[in-house]
């Protein structure tokens, strides 16, 4: 992006679970728009290291911190480290999550609680810890929801419920944190990340989608960038990015 078109220059962004896949695409888009970018990772340390090399090419400040978003202490330490290093947090992207396919009657309590811990409690905890910094900067929060939080997928009861809860949390936070902070949510549909294991499923979904294709990481990053650069007056919105599949 040319220097004159850097809408996030001077902004500090935190992307949870940003070392790989969609989080990585979001982190790169933010850096391309001029933001300093911090990502958290849990297990993907080497991916995080590689991402830092790429982020460095954008001449922005970049950092990667290990953080378990389900654990209060871990979240507190990570958020404080970002604020200390960057001096501010302007945009928080609650991206870290887990996804799992399990028949309804086979979901264990452990699986149910683990999905809610990362997908719902995680965004709550990270937001709560980042709040004072975001308030100071009249910042923005973007939660990563899911089409599965809007449509009932029978073999994903815990995942769908955790994302539906996150959609509601988005709306609650939009009211509770106004007028300083704008809170919105991007709800991806079928996103093709080029994985061989998902290729047959992706091929089957494209013709069922009004736009006749699956989404890309770039589609999702562009939607997150929309909220990151949108007027502060836009808040509490859940935006499906699904090529019309949920219609
Ligand atoms: N991909 C899709 O098609 C799709 C569709 C609908 C919604 N979404 C949503 O969009 C977001 C990004 O999607 P994605 O497919 O890129 O996500 P993903 O690969 O399933 O997860 C993103 C990252 O979350 C991190 N994570 C998981 N549990 C964590 C925890 N307890 N603490 C900290 N980090 C944790 C992992 O980090 P490490 O790798 O470092 O362990 C992982 O790389 C997610 O919220 C997802 O639910 C994605």
């Amino acid at each position: 992006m040319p220097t004159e078109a850097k809408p996030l220059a001077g902004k500090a962004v935190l992307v949870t679970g940003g070392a790989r896949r969609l989080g990585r695409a979001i982190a790169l888009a933010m850096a391309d728009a001029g933001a300093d970018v911090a990502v958290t990772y849990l297990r993907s340390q080497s991916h995080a290291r590689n991402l830092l090399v790429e982020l460095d090419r954008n001449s922005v400040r970049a950092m990667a911190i290990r953080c378990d978003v389900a654990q209060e202490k871990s979240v507190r330490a990570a958020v404080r480290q970002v604020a200390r290093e960057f001096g501010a947090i302007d945009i928080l992207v609650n991206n870290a999550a887990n996804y799992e396919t399990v028949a309804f009657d086979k979901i264990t309590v452990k699986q149910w609680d683990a999905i809610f811990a990362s997908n719902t409690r995680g965004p709550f905890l990270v937001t709560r810890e980042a709040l004072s910094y975001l308030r100071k900067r009249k910042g923005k929060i973007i939660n990563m929801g899911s089409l599965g939080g809007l449509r009932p997928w029978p073999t994903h009861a815990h995942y769908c419920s955790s994302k539906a809860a996150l959609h509601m949390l988005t709306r609650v936070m939009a009211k509770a944190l106004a007028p300083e902070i704008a809170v919105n949510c991007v709800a991806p549909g079928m996103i093709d990340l080029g994985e061989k294991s998902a290729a047959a499923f992706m091929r089957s979904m494209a013709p069922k989608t009004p736009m006749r294709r699956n989404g890309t990481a770039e589609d999702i990053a562009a939607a997150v960038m929309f909220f990151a650069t949108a007027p502060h007056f836009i808040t509490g919105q859940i935006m499906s990015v699904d090529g019309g599949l949920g219609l």
Side-chain angles (χ1 to χ4, degrees), residues 21-22 42-44 67-69 95-98 145 163 188 191:
R21 294 163 55 89
L22 295 184
L42 184 60
R43 290 163 293 253
S44 299
C67 173
D68 183 343
V69 298
N95 171 79
N98 286 290
K163 289 296 187 176
I191 307 305

Side-chain angles (χ1 to χ4, degrees), residues 101-201:
T101 305
V102 194
F104 182 83
D105 55 346
K106 296 283 186 287
I107 298 174
T108 63
V109 167
K110 201 172 163 198
Q111 286 173 319
W112 182 275
D113 287 351
I115 285 281
F116 268 77
S118 58
N119 297 10
T120 313
R121 189 169 83 205
F124 160 68
L125 285 178
V126 182
T127 298
R128 200 187 62 186
E129 294 308 319
L131 212 47
S132 59
Y133 308 106
L134 288 163
R135 276 203 174 114
K136 266 186 215 145
R137 303 282 284 199
K138 302 215 179 321
K140 288 180 171 164
I141 298 170
I142 301 154
N143 292 325
M144 295 304 292
S146 174
L147 181 59
L150 298 165
R151 296 284 172 269
W153 296 342
T155 52
H156 301 80
H158 52 348
Y159 171 82
C160 288
S161 304
S162 73
K163 289 296 187 176
L166 181 60
H167 294 176
M168 178 49 82
L169 187 61
T170 301
R171 287 152 48 90
V172 171
M173 289 189 329
K175 266 186 133 171
L177 311 186
E180 293 91 357
I181 304 170
V183 187
N184 291 291
C185 175
V186 171
M190 298 304 142
I191 307 305
D192 191 348
L193 296 172
E195 285 162 337
K196 276 198 186 129
S197 57
F201 177 67

Side-chain angles (χ1 to χ4, degrees), residues 28-45:
L28 288 168
M30 295 281 181
D32 196 35
D36 293 329
V37 179
V39 296
T40 71
Y41 62 90
L42 184 60
R43 290 163 293 253
S44 299
Q45 188 174 17

